Amino acid sequence: MAARILLVDDETDLIEVLADALAARLPGFVIQRASSVADAEAAVASLDASGTELALVVSDHRLGDGDGLKFIASLRARHPGLPAILYTGQAGPEVVAAASAAGVRLLWKPIRLATWIAEVRAALEA
Amino acid sequence: MEVVLVAVLPAVILTWGTTAWGTGPALALALALPVIHAVWSRAASVAPSPFLPFVVLGALATASVGWFALSPVWFAAKEALLPVGIGLIFAVSDAFGRPLIVPLFERLVELGPIRPGLTVDQNAKIDGALRTLGRMWGGAIALSGVASGVLALAIVHSEAGTEAFNLELGRHTAWSWGVITLPTTLVTMFLLLRTVRRVEAVVGRPLT
């Protein structure tokens, strides 16, 4: 079964753009969308149950029902070494420090689509 | 050229040709013209028109009503159902997250090379503008179908396959061009121009 890239963002318009762009350029992966931490947790549980590989998680920092960085941290407790990208438009130095300490790539919005694709490719190849 | 082949000539042929050449030949020639136009458009353009199958299907359906002498109500139904079907295809493709309007619009304006240089938010705004265009254009097409069906019910009463039927078909073609096709075309042009302006506002420069 094709490995998954999990996209987590509560702005569904943005996630559709990202998912379409990634699906067109990375045909070997299935793009899984989640609009909240709860959705993302359910998606991961389903992938784990089916034994499907999760190759990368890409998440917004501020989500309606939680914190993207905390979600990534909790996910990594179960999937050590899972590549992760966190993006945000606004975050304090504590978030920057925490992301850096956890080895999570932090991107600042606005982000060009080409940059997105390049960052995702780099994370998958790392 | 399009107006002449799709509206004027068929109307003239159906009105005057029926008496001169008989019902069958006049109907066949009048219906062949939109098909010839659609095929010619396809041959002349780089990409095939997505509406070509509907033009051919519409002409075949009208011919069937004439040749099999079906009730004129079938002609009205055909006039309404094809455009309503196209409108539904727009709606369904939108509902399933693959709006048909996106590839259609990108036949006019190539957005592929522009998109990677834009931010994700800008891309989302463009997609939003295209979806609005798709909903409004699909609605306009569906509405034109309903109007055409109503016009057909008002004009075409005679038994199909008769000289009177062909004459009424000619009147319907002429009227529908004036009161349906032309306004729908103008609405379409307005919607397309408005969308191009919106996309240009997002991109921050004119689209070439």
Side-chain angles (χ1 to χ4, degrees):
Chain A
M1 201 176 286
R4 299 292 205 272
I5 295 174
L6 178 62
L7 299 180
V8 192
D9 197 324
D10 50 4
E11 289 186 64
T12 51
D13 291 351
L14 301 191
I15 213 167
E16 286 303 322
V17 170
L18 276 177
D20 285 351
L22 291 178
R25 289 161 179 86
L26 300 168
F29 294 89
V30 172
I31 314 301
Q32 185 111 23
R33 303 159 173 83
S35 59
S36 64
V37 172
D39 269 0
E41 291 284 9
V44 173
S46 170
L47 294 179
D48 288 347
S50 65
T52 307
E53 181 197 351
L54 180 58
L56 173 69
V57 59
V58 182
S59 177
D60 189 10
H61 176 48
R62 291 186 178 181
L63 297 165
D65 62 346
D67 176 321
L69 187 55
K70 284 183 183 164
F71 165 66
I72 290 173
S74 77
L75 193 56
R76 276 191 163 171
R78 286 166 282 157
H79 296 262
L82 174 70
I85 296 173
L86 183 76
Y87 57 92
T88 183
Q90 206 175 13
E94 69 287 355
V95 174
V96 178
S100 174
V104 173
R105 182 87 173 104
L106 181 63
L107 301 178
W108 295 92
K109 291 198 280 188
I111 307 160
R112 289 191 312 127
L113 194 57
T115 308
W116 266 110
I117 308 300
E119 290 287 348
V120 167
R121 280 189 198 279
L124 289 169
E125 287 163 8
Chain B
M1 183 67 170
E2 180 179 1
V3 175
V4 173
L5 277 176
V6 173
V8 179
L9 273 180
V12 170
I13 289 166
L14 287 168
T15 309
W16 303 108
T18 301
T19 330
W21 310 317
T23 305
L27 185 61
L29 183 59
L31 295 175
L33 289 174
V35 177
I36 289 167
H37 172 262
V39 174
W40 172 80
S41 303
R42 176 176 178 162
S45 64
V46 178
S49 166
F51 295 112
L52 178 66
F54 292 100
V55 174
V56 175
L57 196 63
L60 286 175
T62 306
S64 301
V65 172
W67 283 319
F68 297 111
L70 301 175
S71 159
V73 174
W74 284 104
F75 173 71
K78 170 245 135 187
E79 283 293 303
L81 285 178
L82 276 176
V84 168
I86 294 173
L88 275 177
I89 290 171
F90 271 89
V92 169
S93 68
D94 188 17
F96 279 92
R98 289 281 171 270
L100 179 66
I101 191 64
V102 175
L104 287 177
F105 186 81
E106 294 201 7
R107 285 163 58 92
L108 299 172
V109 180
E110 202 182 2
L111 294 174
I114 301 171
R115 284 183 178 271
L118 303 176
T119 67
V120 177
D121 300 68
Q122 286 173 312
N123 275 286
K125 281 181 185 166
I126 290 174
D127 288 346
L130 294 188
R131 283 195 150 169
T132 304
L133 168 66
R135 286 166 192 162
M136 296 183 84
W137 194 19
I141 292 171
L143 196 63
S144 77
V146 174
S148 188
V150 170
L151 193 67
L153 285 175
I155 292 178
V156 184
H157 300 290
S158 301
E159 195 181 329
T162 62
E163 189 180 325
F165 174 79
N166 274 15
L167 291 171
E168 288 165 1
L169 212 57
R171 276 178 57 212
H172 176 269
T173 304
W175 271 99
S176 72
W177 191 84
V179 301
I180 298 165
T181 310
L182 185 60
T184 307
T185 305
L186 290 175
V187 166
T188 300
M189 286 171 66
F190 167 75
L191 291 174
L192 282 172
L193 279 174
R194 194 181 73 146
T195 306
V196 167
R197 296 281 174 271
R198 284 187 172 184
V199 173
E200 284 178 338
V202 172
V203 174
R205 62 179 173 81
L207 298 170
T208 51

